[in-house]
Amino acid sequence: MGILDIIILGLAVFRMTHLIVFDKITEFLRSPFFDEVPEMSEDGVEEIFLLPKKGGIKGFVGELLSCYWCTGMWVAVFLYVGNIFIPVFFAPIITVLAVAGVASVIEAAVQSWIRE
């Protein structure tokens, strides 16, 4: 695996991990594994915190999804192994995710520059 392949796979892993752990569009996939816990902030505003469910497979998956680093590791294994054994299917997915990863980094940089 060359350096360019590692960079592309790294960007794909970054984007897919972010999609799974943080993005609103996949919230419905995460919700069965978390309990919503409302708390009042110091200024009197109710905030909702998500805590992984306790025990069992739901608890395990909830813990996994609450850890960006853990999810990233499993996503990396999934994309790498998929690309090794079924490259005709995984190569386009990895490419799209990598391009979206680059776009995410550019967007974050632009938003950072705008705020300054």
Side-chain angles (χ1 to χ4, degrees), residues 36-51:
E36 291 186 0
V37 179
E39 285 189 18
M40 283 295 204
S41 66
E42 291 180 10
D43 57 355
V45 176
E46 185 178 76
E47 296 180 11
I48 303 293
F49 291 92
L50 298 175
L51 296 177

Side-chain angles (χ1 to χ4, degrees), residues 2-41:
I3 189 71
L4 183 59
D5 295 323
I6 292 171
I7 291 169
I8 290 169
L9 187 59
L11 287 164
V13 169
F14 159 73
R15 187 63 198 108
M16 187 169 183
T17 300
H18 198 280
L19 180 68
I20 293 169
V21 175
F22 297 114
D23 288 356
K24 184 127 178 98
I25 195 168
T26 56
E27 189 174 293
F28 74 98
L29 295 173
R30 293 186 302 272
S31 63
F33 306 103
F34 291 93
D35 290 321
E36 291 186 0
V37 179
E39 285 189 18
M40 283 295 204
S41 66

Side-chain angles (χ1 to χ4, degrees), residues 30-102:
R30 293 186 302 272
S31 63
F33 306 103
F34 291 93
D35 290 321
E36 291 186 0
V37 179
E39 285 189 18
M40 283 295 204
S41 66
E42 291 180 10
D43 57 355
V45 176
E46 185 178 76
E47 296 180 11
I48 303 293
F49 291 92
L50 298 175
L51 296 177
K53 292 192 181 280
K54 300 286 185 210
I57 190 73
K58 283 188 176 184
F60 174 77
V61 174
E63 289 291 334
L64 178 70
L65 291 175
S66 68
C67 174
Y68 182 82
W69 302 109
C70 302
T71 303
M73 185 62 116
W74 289 107
V75 167
V77 169
F78 172 72
L79 291 178
Y80 179 75
V81 170
N83 195 45
I84 294 297
F85 290 108
I86 317 170
V88 88
F89 178 76
F90 277 83
I93 293 170
I94 289 169
T95 302
V96 168
L97 287 168
V99 170
V102 170

